[in-house]
Amino acid sequence: MTVDYTVRLRFSDESQAAATHTNLSAVRLDGRALWIAGDETATIERLLADDAERPAEFGQETRFRLADFVDLPGADADEEADVEGLARTGHFLWAIGSHSLRRKQIKDRHDGPKALRRLARVEGQDNRQILVRLPVTDVDGVPTPVREITVDGVRHRAAALSARDDLRRLLRYDEHLAPFLPIPGKDNGLDIEGIAVREDRVFLGLRGPVLRGWAFVLELRPYVLADEPGRLRLHRFEDGLPYRKHVLDLDGLGVRDLCPAGNDLLVLAGPTMDLDGPVRIYRWQDACVAEVPTIVRHNLISRVMELTYGEGDDHAEGLSLMGTDRVLVVYDSPAAVRLEPDGAVIADVLKLP
């Protein structure tokens, strides 16, 4: 991996206090705006570029609470949503939660039976089970999420999947994925970590499970009805299911993020387990065209580049296309050299071969 140049992401004191800047999990460029999310809050952040052509810094942060737009499933609206993917298309900004369970960690101060009890404890958080679509409008030249907009006489409201369409519920009988629903994400359980949207098609990339080396991408066709515009519903495919599965040969890695690039999808891939690497970018050819195969082998998906990673840090978690031939990559647990004294964090811009 050769870094073309770097950019500073400058966060507010509030986001620094919430450790968003060191837990970056999703990114999407939108003109001069950069949408960012961390995995420890129930918010989406918007940063603005200091230069439209080649920004050196994104700053002037504005935070948006998801609970101000849609009803979240958790009793605590500010409980983390573990937002792992962002997409921007048409009039909407999309966000997906990980839908994962988590296992308690053994920390340095834990020993003996207490440590084993922690390792046996698995828990979930309701706010992680979200797929949200927020209308976006132009406010003083800046894209801004709102609860409702009207375009060409059609009203669009902020919308989310309801409990009856919760993805974990829909997958409970799936022959491939159902056995992994009770398993924590970092143990190869269900873990959604990327989203890409093209017209009415929503692609969700799964970090786990990876089955016999094959990674999963779910395809959805969400829609709303006029009498219930705040509820996302799912069209059914030819087999009667509300989702379609694609399995990708990513050399044993899982999906960490998805990003449209013309008719293709760029796939950020990394280990499904709690490992540092390898980390790679792949190109899934013609993924956004009408007919997408179920089995995606190396004749349709190619390795673009290897990314560097640290030991316990610098985990690439999000990527966004910049122009036509570059990608912006952000990191969870950034290395110390990426952290600036003013609370800014350094992201990389890479030139695609």
Side-chain angles (χ1 to χ4, degrees):
M1 177 185 89
T2 300
V3 176
D4 192 25
Y5 62 96
T6 63
V7 295
R8 284 168 36 97
L9 309 180
R10 183 165 50 83
F11 291 88
S12 67
D13 292 342
E14 187 177 8
S15 285
Q16 292 179 50
T20 298
H21 65 311
T22 57
N23 289 280
L24 298 179
S25 57
V27 62
R28 192 64 82 235
L29 187 63
D30 182 14
R32 63 182 294 250
L34 188 70
W35 302 103
I36 288 276
D39 58 16
E40 299 292 331
T41 68
T43 63
I44 296 172
E45 283 66 46
R46 184 193 65 199
L47 307 180
L48 299 180
D50 60 357
D51 181 89
E53 297 300 321
R54 181 173 168 138
E57 177 178 286
F58 290 90
Q60 303 177 58
E61 181 202 318
T62 304
R63 304 186 88 209
F64 299 95
R65 295 175 66 246
L66 292 174
D68 291 337
F69 301 93
V70 297
D71 293 330
L72 297 181
D76 179 0
D78 292 314
E79 175 187 75
E80 73 171 68
D82 198 20
V83 175
E84 291 287 352
L86 296 171
R88 177 74 172 90
T89 184
H91 304 298
F92 303 108
L93 174 67
W94 295 77
I96 184 72
S98 69
H99 287 71
S100 65
L101 303 180
R102 63 181 184 180
R103 186 181 301 279
K104 284 289 190 180
Q105 299 184 49
I106 297 177
K107 299 184 179 180
D108 291 342
R109 66 179 183 275
H110 301 134
D111 201 3
K114 183 175 182 179
L116 291 178
R117 285 196 300 271
R118 284 184 64 86
L119 201 58
R121 184 178 172 185
V122 175
E123 58 187 21
Q125 293 173 303
D126 290 339
N127 281 355
R128 292 181 173 216
Q129 327 301 324
I130 60 165
L131 174 62
V132 174
R133 189 193 72 175
L134 304 181
V136 174
T137 191
D138 188 287
V139 177
D140 298 327
V142 179
T144 304
V146 293
R147 290 183 64 90
E148 182 177 318
I149 59 173
T150 299
V151 180
D152 297 330
V154 179
R155 182 179 63 156
H156 301 284
R157 287 188 54 189
L161 282 183
S162 68
R164 73 190 75 177
D165 292 320
D166 172 75
L167 291 175
R168 291 184 65 88
R169 178 177 177 273
L170 296 179
L171 293 170
R172 68 192 187 279
Y173 300 121
D174 188 89
E175 61 181 338
H176 299 105
L177 302 177
F180 296 88
L181 295 179
I183 300 174
K186 288 185 172 59
D187 295 346
N188 201 36
L190 180 72
D191 191 0
I192 300 173
E193 289 216 359
I195 182 172
V197 181
R198 172 62 65 87
E199 298 177 348
D200 66 337
R201 307 171 71 179
V202 173
F203 297 92
L204 303 178
L206 274 58
R207 175 176 176 174
V210 171
L211 302 187
R212 196 73 188 206
W214 292 89
F216 281 81
V217 171
L218 300 179
E219 182 182 345
L220 311 178
R221 300 286 177 90
Y223 69 101
V224 298
L225 295 178
D227 62 349
E228 205 172 1
R231 175 190 167 196
L232 290 176
R233 301 164 183 261
L234 297 177
H235 282 296
R236 293 187 176 272
F237 290 88
E238 295 82 0
D239 58 4
L241 292 175
Y243 59 89
R244 177 183 285 161
K245 290 178 290 189
H246 307 282
V247 292
L248 282 59
D249 186 355
L250 301 179
D251 303 305
L253 301 177
V255 178
R256 293 294 185 90
D257 201 5
L258 298 171
C259 178
N263 286 331
D264 303 338
L265 283 180
L266 297 178
V267 182
L268 178 63
T272 183
M273 309 294 277
D274 195 13
L275 300 170
D276 292 319
V279 183
R280 298 168 181 151
I281 295 176
Y282 292 80
R283 182 182 290 270
W284 179 5
Q285 299 173 32
D286 294 329
C288 298
V289 298
E291 296 299 326
V292 183
T294 298
I295 308 299
V296 184
R297 295 186 170 90
H298 282 172
N299 62 319
L300 291 176
I301 193 161
S302 56
R303 190 186 304 182
V304 175
M305 66 174 66
E306 300 273 345
L307 272 61
T308 58
Y309 53 89
E311 295 186 10
D313 58 23
D314 256 8
H315 300 143
E317 288 284 340
L319 83 164
S320 180
L321 199 64
M322 294 189 74
T324 59
D325 61 350
R326 288 174 172 81
V327 289
L328 173 70
V329 178
V330 299
Y331 299 85
D332 188 11
S333 303
V337 294
R338 294 189 184 275
L339 301 177
E340 303 277 82
D342 63 354
V345 63
I346 303 298
D348 292 332
V349 177
L350 312 177
K351 187 172 177 59
L352 296 171

